[in-house]
Amino acid sequence: MIQLADIERIFQVGDETVRALSNVNLTVHQGEYVSIMGPSGSGKSTLLNVMGLLDRPDKGIYSLEDLDTTELTDDQQASVRCHKIGFVFQFFHLVPRLTSAENVELPMILAGVDPAERKTRVQAALSSLGLRDRAKHRPDQLSGGQRQRVAIARATIMQPDIVLADEPTGNLDRTSGIEVIQILEDLNNKGMTLIMVTHDPNLSKRASRKVQLVDGKISSDTGGS
Amino acid sequence: MKPGDVIQFSTRALWGYPTRTLLMILAMAIGVASVILLTALGEGARRFVTNEFTSLGTYLLIVLPGRSETTGGPPPLLGETPRDLTLEDALSLTRSSAIRRMAPITVGSAPVSWKHRDREVSILGSTADLFEIRHLSMAQGRFIPAGDPTRGLAVCVMGYKVKTELFGNQSPLGGWVRIGDRRFRVIGVLAKKGQSLGLDMGDVVVVPVASAQALFNTSALFRILVQANGRDAVPKAKKAILSTIRQRHEGEDDVTVITQDALLSTFDRILVAMTLSVAGIAAISLSVAGILIMNVMLIAVSQRTSEIGLLKALGAPGAHILGLFLAESAILSLIGAGFGLILAFLGNWGLAHAFPSFPITAPIWALGAAVLVALLTGLVFGVLPARRAARLDPVQALSRR
């Protein structure tokens, strides 16, 4: 369960202070499917980064599974990211010199999982996403949709509770975009919390809960508490 | 993260940028190789000089006429001529128990002729003991016989080169040569022996000391070589020589005694200092390689910003990232050092072939030190880029494409 209470995030841009997030209160239960919409600069990505522990809020309390994350050290936060959170990015962020299999393996290497176990888990993950024959390919030999599927396999290989997706289809054509969304929704059906930032209303409609952000504030929330 | 995985990941990362990696390895290799080679040259010089000194003879003391000490005391106001060292002075030295052998030496230059061939050669007047003291060996015949040194026998022993030039392939034994205005019978030829401290033993003719003194019409000795009764006896022998000569020269300390050890240790100190300073100069090239590594790693960090951001997003703490980049520097340094060792061995081998008489060998400590310094350089200069990577803000790193 994600609980954001009075979250505020302020950036200093030159002389100006920009309130990327102000007074954000949001509770997301395990297994929910949330889309976050909003015009650019409304703070969507910042909100996602705060939830993903990549960014620290300047004010407020963020508890993840009743754990106050603002109190954690950087290393503890890294460990939470490693085991509980999976990221899917608009630009995939695959390591170009590594093969698909190695990219998927990366989180387990960082977590110190045993090599033999890593291999079987990578195989299983790639097969389930229809990438079995692409295991030895490097990212530049893959199509956009395939790259994003590799990225999803990497995000979920540690079996996180939460998948955070930042415009996951932003760089894909329609067909592979739909494919990717279906994969993410499948994961959600299996119980993972899916939080997706998008500016595509069609995608947003598919989510069971829609959150709208304007100027760093939540302007509407279809679900919620 | 497991250590094996760190090494594998870093190695893969290095392979991702082959040109960059090869250049850095090259720089490191040149640094390491130059440290080892220059140290080897310095060490070779030291050994060369040491060999020269030991070929002079063991436990050797050299007695020179005249005081030539440079320490203490004002220079004499009245120019006093030191007394000559005489054969009697030399003979009186043998009475000390610390002295095993003694060889007086007179040196001069005279024409040596046989039949129609004529050469100007250094003439060395000495006694039978010179043979032992200078570790000489014979090619043919025998050395000057032992006997009363004050009696000048008309015999001579030739250096190898003189013999070849005068006699060619014929045996000179028993032949009579003319040295200056006297005739000497050849009784032996010295074996080929390298130079020792400037005097080529192949290019001399040795005659009994009394004969040489008669030949050059002098009673003075050029110097006296003294062999002490072992290493511990060297200081005692020195004292004995000084006191004996002082007695004989009416209380004047007018000789200088040089011990071989003192000479050797002075040269040794100088050469060790030289080796170290040369190695230090070479170490500068290592640090240049280190700075290169730092620069290239900094570029690597900015090139791989999004990768670092990703690793953080995937749950790598700063320490992991620091470790990964340090491992890269360390691997680079070690591979560079490995190639440097190979390069150094090749250079060593080449030099050894080009100058066979020069004993060039890299001391083991230099090998170890070079590799260690290379690794240290890599780590020290790797810290800055690695820290920059570890501190990278993941949000900014990921927002860039």
Side-chain angles (χ1 to χ4, degrees):
Chain A
M1 191 168 72
I2 294 170
Q3 279 177 302
L4 299 174
D6 282 328
I7 293 292
E8 196 166 284
R9 181 75 176 102
I10 299 166
F11 291 111
Q12 198 75 33
V13 182
D15 294 339
E16 263 182 281
T17 46
V18 179
R19 283 176 184 273
L21 295 176
S22 65
N23 250 329
V24 172
N25 289 286
L26 186 67
T27 305
V28 180
H29 295 281
Q30 183 62 39
E32 271 196 276
Y33 179 7
V34 182
S35 75
I36 299 174
M37 292 261 292
S40 40
S42 58
K44 314 186 289 286
S45 294
T46 309
L47 181 59
L48 204 70
N49 287 334
V50 167
M51 287 196 283
L53 295 175
L54 289 178
D55 207 352
R56 280 174 188 266
D58 295 302
K59 234 177 80 185
I61 290 172
Y62 168 24
S63 353
L64 186 68
E65 331 255 288
D66 297 324
L67 182 75
D68 184 359
T69 60
T70 38
E71 302 264 294
L72 298 178
T73 64
D74 284 351
D75 286 1
Q76 287 167 326
Q77 288 200 344
S79 161
V80 171
R81 282 202 296 273
C82 182
H83 293 101
K84 299 204 164 143
I85 300 169
F87 285 95
V88 177
F89 306 97
Q90 181 180 2
F91 297 113
F92 323 129
H93 284 300
L94 298 176
V95 181
R97 60 169 186 280
L98 300 180
T99 64
S100 312
E102 287 165 335
N103 266 293
V104 176
E105 196 183 1
L106 209 49
M108 292 192 286
I109 292 178
L110 294 173
V113 176
D114 199 60
E117 195 194 330
R118 291 199 311 239
K119 291 279 173 279
T120 52
R121 272 165 75 174
V122 167
Q123 283 303 319
L126 286 176
S127 306
S128 73
L129 293 181
L131 290 164
R132 180 191 282 257
D133 55 339
R134 291 285 181 273
K136 294 265 183 286
H137 289 57
R138 282 203 311 275
D140 55 2
Q141 298 162 317
L142 299 174
S143 73
Q146 288 169 335
R147 288 188 210 181
Q148 196 59 299
R149 278 187 278 159
V150 171
I152 292 170
R154 184 182 62 193
T156 54
I157 196 77
M158 291 300 290
Q159 283 147 356
D161 301 329
I162 305 158
V163 172
L164 301 172
D166 192 354
E167 308 262 13
T169 60
N171 253 23
L172 300 178
D173 59 73
R174 249 191 75 75
T175 344
S176 37
I178 296 289
E179 234 176 65
V180 161
I181 287 297
Q182 278 167 350
I183 292 169
L184 288 173
E185 286 172 354
D186 268 2
L187 291 167
N188 175 244
N189 288 336
K190 285 176 193 152
M192 272 185 206
T193 309
L194 175 61
I195 300 175
M196 179 169 65
V197 164
T198 180
H199 56 244
D200 182 348
N202 291 324
L203 282 184
S204 177
K205 262 186 247 161
R206 301 173 70 115
S208 55
R209 180 175 172 191
K210 300 167 215 30
V211 173
Q212 184 86 26
L213 271 182
V214 176
D215 287 339
K217 294 191 180 85
I218 293 177
S219 64
S220 77
D221 184 353
T222 60
S225 32
Chain B
M1 232 177 147
K2 297 188 158 109
D5 288 331
V6 172
I7 291 167
Q8 202 187 355
F9 187 88
S10 302
T11 317
R12 290 291 303 265
L14 287 173
W15 268 119
Y17 307 88
T19 325
R20 198 192 84 190
T21 303
L22 283 180
L23 280 176
M24 281 201 279
I25 287 176
L26 185 69
M28 213 32 152
I30 290 173
V32 169
S34 57
V35 167
I36 295 174
L37 269 185
L38 288 174
T39 325
L41 280 174
E43 180 71 10
R46 200 178 68 81
R47 288 194 190 191
F48 183 72
V49 169
T50 312
N51 284 349
E52 285 283 284
F53 273 95
T54 35
S55 78
L56 258 180
T58 20
Y59 319 132
L60 195 68
L61 296 98
I62 303 168
V63 187
L64 308 171
R67 270 190 88 71
S68 61
E69 220 149 281
T70 51
T71 50
L77 283 176
L78 300 165
E80 54 179 330
T81 342
R83 263 156 283 249
D84 287 335
L85 269 178
T86 62
L87 191 53
E88 286 68 39
D89 289 337
L91 291 172
S92 69
L93 294 179
T94 50
R95 276 177 230 134
S96 164
S97 63
I99 291 170
R100 184 183 295 166
R101 293 193 186 87
M102 174 280 300
I105 288 181
T106 320
V107 174
S109 180
V112 178
S113 60
W114 183 69
K115 292 192 176 161
H116 302 298
R117 297 189 195 160
D118 194 313
R119 274 200 80 230
E120 187 82 11
V121 176
S122 300
I123 309 296
L124 207 65
S126 193
T127 58
D129 280 342
L130 182 72
F131 189 73
E132 289 294 328
I133 291 176
R134 297 264 335 230
H135 298 312
L136 299 174
S137 50
M138 303 302 294
Q140 280 176 287
R142 56 199 178 86
F143 200 67
I144 292 167
D148 184 1
T150 55
R151 277 188 53 211
L153 290 172
V155 293
C156 71
V157 174
M158 298 189 136
Y160 198 84
K161 198 171 154 203
V162 181
K163 176 253 159 187
T164 316
E165 282 173 356
L166 287 181
F167 289 87
N169 286 329
Q170 297 177 49
S171 169
L173 294 185
W176 287 86
V177 292
R178 177 168 288 278
I179 302 177
D181 52 0
R182 289 160 179 262
R183 274 157 51 83
F184 291 83
R185 197 159 65 90
V186 181
I187 57 168
V189 178
L190 291 172
K192 266 189 206 172
K193 193 184 184 190
Q195 281 217 337
S196 76
L197 282 191
L199 189 60
D200 184 353
M201 287 305 281
D203 207 11
V204 294
V205 170
V206 186
V207 298
V209 64
S211 309
Q213 283 181 328
L215 194 62
F216 300 121
N217 191 24
T218 174
S219 63
L221 293 175
F222 176 59
R223 59 192 52 176
I224 307 170
L225 298 182
V226 175
Q227 187 178 26
N229 238 334
R231 181 168 288 267
D232 302 334
V234 171
K236 217 176 133 197
K238 184 175 178 178
K239 239 183 236 160
I241 293 166
L242 286 174
S243 67
T244 311
I245 302 287
R246 192 187 304 127
Q247 267 174 27
R248 296 182 53 84
H249 287 187
E250 289 135 31
E252 294 287 345
D253 271 327
D254 58 1
V255 291
T256 304
V257 179
I258 304 169
T259 63
Q260 186 188 10
D261 282 0
L263 266 177
L264 191 57
S265 66
T266 307
F267 268 93
D268 209 52
R269 275 203 301 277
I270 292 170
L271 287 163
V272 164
M274 191 188 81
T275 305
L276 286 179
S277 60
V278 164
I281 292 166
I284 292 173
S285 69
L286 258 185
S287 66
V288 169
I291 289 169
L292 189 76
I293 284 193
M294 179 167 72
N295 272 318
V296 178
M297 289 306 287
L298 280 175
I299 295 169
V301 168
S302 56
Q303 265 181 347
R304 279 151 61 187
T305 310
S306 74
E307 179 188 326
I308 296 161
L310 172 78
L311 289 175
K312 288 199 158 178
L314 293 180
H320 274 23
I321 309 235
L322 190 84
L324 282 173
F325 276 83
L326 276 184
E328 266 187 51
S329 311
I331 289 170
L332 270 180
S333 311
L334 281 182
I335 295 176
F339 278 107
L341 284 182
I342 294 171
L343 215 64
F345 276 115
L346 286 180
N348 221 331
W349 182 82
L351 280 175
H353 268 249
F355 310 101
S357 64
F358 193 70
I360 179 167
T361 18
I364 298 292
W365 63 262
L367 300 184
V371 173
L372 209 71
V373 169
L375 183 60
L376 220 66
T377 321
L379 287 177
V380 166
F381 286 101
V383 164
L384 186 70
R387 276 170 61 131
R388 178 172 289 192
R391 285 182 182 170
L392 218 61
D393 177 8
V395 173
Q396 285 200 340
L398 286 169
S399 66
R400 263 192 275 168
R401 269 208 70 175

